[in-house]
Amino acid sequence: MFRTTCTFLVAAAFVAGANAQSRLPTPSVDYQAERVMETSAGTFTGRVFFSADKERTETEAGGMQSVTIVRRDRNLVWTLMPAQRMVSEADLKSARDPARAPAGEDVRISVVGNEIVEGVATTKHKLIAKDGGAGGFMWFTREGIAMKMDLLQKEEGKATRMTVTLRNLKVGPQDAQLFEVPEGYSKMPALEGM
């Protein structure tokens, strides 16, 4: 579970680096959806909730649930372990590994065309790190929702692929409490290497 979360954060850092240059769409609406993430470690299902500069992802793996809340408005990432009622907190910038994810200016982005993903009209974008270490495709709705990511990262001569697809997309306001740490959670030490 931890390795999957780190892989997802590295991919998110790659995408965020590209987004930093305002070359990829960003969501202009609140939404929620089911999320299916496929990696070499397996397939993980969950949900995603988005509202302005806040995002919540819930992942189920091996009978355990993990919740990650990204608060860009506060530059924080919270990782919740509901079964233990524990939370770790990290600075959003330190939660990404800049040594493994290229900066925005180091990512070439081009529009490939239009495609339907899970019944939703999208525009497909190609992303390639100029150093050749990462790349892939992303599909965005006209509201800037990333309906699908298919990313490949090369590290130490080995390629790692991750695909994330949203299903049953519902656009509309989200409950503000989804993006807060619930009452009664204890803080755990920050995780190293994240």
Side-chain angles (χ1 to χ4, degrees):
M1 173 81 74
F2 175 68
R3 182 166 172 74
T4 301
T5 301
C6 287
T7 301
F8 187 72
L9 285 173
V10 168
F14 172 69
V15 173
N19 269 340
Q21 299 300 312
S22 299
R23 296 182 292 171
L24 287 177
T26 55
S28 60
V29 295
D30 290 5
Y31 68 89
Q32 65 174 280
E34 295 171 18
R35 184 185 73 168
V36 178
M37 181 171 43
E38 297 172 88
T39 71
S40 58
T43 299
F44 306 92
T45 59
R47 297 198 54 78
V48 61
F49 304 86
F50 180 89
S51 179
D53 287 330
K54 306 172 192 113
E55 185 172 6
R56 176 189 178 108
T57 55
E58 301 173 353
T59 304
E60 184 80 31
M64 288 186 58
Q65 185 185 33
S66 166
V67 177
T68 302
I69 299 172
V70 178
R71 292 290 304 262
R72 289 175 192 87
D73 60 335
R74 295 175 60 185
N75 200 36
L76 288 174
V77 177
W78 290 311
T79 303
L80 283 63
M81 301 304 290
Q84 293 82 15
R85 299 196 55 80
M86 296 188 79
V87 59
S88 76
E89 180 179 297
D91 179 273
L92 184 57
K93 290 177 186 169
S94 68
R96 299 176 180 150
D97 183 355
R100 294 174 62 196
E105 63 272 6
D106 295 332
V107 180
R108 288 190 302 264
I109 301 169
S110 57
V111 174
V112 177
N114 298 318
E115 291 185 12
I116 303 295
V117 175
E118 296 294 323
V120 178
T122 67
T123 301
K124 183 178 181 180
H125 293 70
K126 182 177 183 179
L127 293 79
I128 300 290
K130 290 181 182 174
D131 69 2
F137 298 94
M138 293 186 72
W139 291 257
F140 291 91
T141 69
R142 71 173 184 269
E143 298 89 5
I145 300 168
M147 282 296 294
K148 184 174 180 180
M149 290 190 296
D150 189 352
L151 303 175
L152 187 68
Q153 179 179 347
K154 294 177 191 169
E155 184 180 8
E156 299 173 4
K158 203 160 83 170
T160 304
R161 184 175 184 186
M162 179 179 72
T163 303
V164 179
T165 307
L166 299 186
R167 296 182 178 158
N168 300 316
L169 176 68
K170 294 178 183 161
V171 173
Q174 301 300 306
D175 183 348
Q177 288 304 308
L178 288 168
F179 310 103
E180 299 291 344
V181 176
E183 293 282 328
Y185 271 62
S186 302
K187 277 197 174 184
M188 59 183 172
L191 299 172
E192 295 297 321
M194 195 168 152

